[in-house]
Amino acid sequence: MTRSDLVAQLADRFSQLTHRDTEFAVKTILDAMSDALARGHRIEIRGFGSFSINRRPPRMGRNPRSGEQVVIPEKLVPHFKPGKALRESVDAQVPVVDEVGDRLTG
């Protein structure tokens, strides 16, 4: 699902909102979440999951072309941990597929 798919689905579901209002609401929520994460805050949405920032320590890597060692600096990256309700909902809905692509259960 893309951002525009989400906006369209919400606009269809809540007919009292215009498409423009729905788009503004989705943008406002995502911007607020991005700003909170950028400030180092944790976001928890009960029944859905939590967003936090993980620290990736500096490490040594290799340039694939030359093979020389390169220092990769520390990074702060967003991390999502699904909540129990979301995990159970997804597990109940998605059929399990083996390596060959055959459906096993569902």
Side-chain angles (χ1 to χ4, degrees):
M1 174 179 276
T2 64
R3 184 182 195 153
S4 58
D5 293 339
L6 177 62
V7 169
Q9 189 172 3
L10 288 172
D12 290 343
R13 187 169 182 179
F14 299 101
S15 58
Q16 69 272 21
L17 295 174
T18 65
H19 186 79
R20 177 177 282 161
D21 290 341
T22 308
E23 193 170 340
F24 180 74
V26 169
K27 181 183 181 332
T28 302
I29 289 170
L30 295 177
D31 287 347
M33 292 174 71
S34 296
D35 291 344
L37 288 172
R39 289 192 313 264
H41 296 284
R42 183 173 183 271
I43 302 167
E44 182 177 330
I45 303 171
R46 300 284 168 130
F48 183 72
S50 61
F51 297 86
S52 60
I53 298 294
N54 280 358
R55 176 184 166 269
R56 285 192 188 159
R59 62 187 173 92
M60 292 301 291
R62 289 198 178 270
N63 181 332
R65 281 195 184 147
S66 64
E68 73 178 276
Q69 288 193 333
V70 179
V71 176
I72 300 172
E74 175 182 82
K75 287 184 179 184
L76 298 177
V77 295
H79 173 74
F80 174 71
K81 181 178 178 185
K84 181 180 178 185
L86 177 60
R87 284 193 319 265
E88 290 174 351
S89 173
V90 168
D91 186 45
Q93 299 294 320
V94 177
V96 177
V97 178
D98 69 4
E99 296 171 4
V100 181
D102 296 329
R103 186 174 175 180
L104 298 176
T105 62

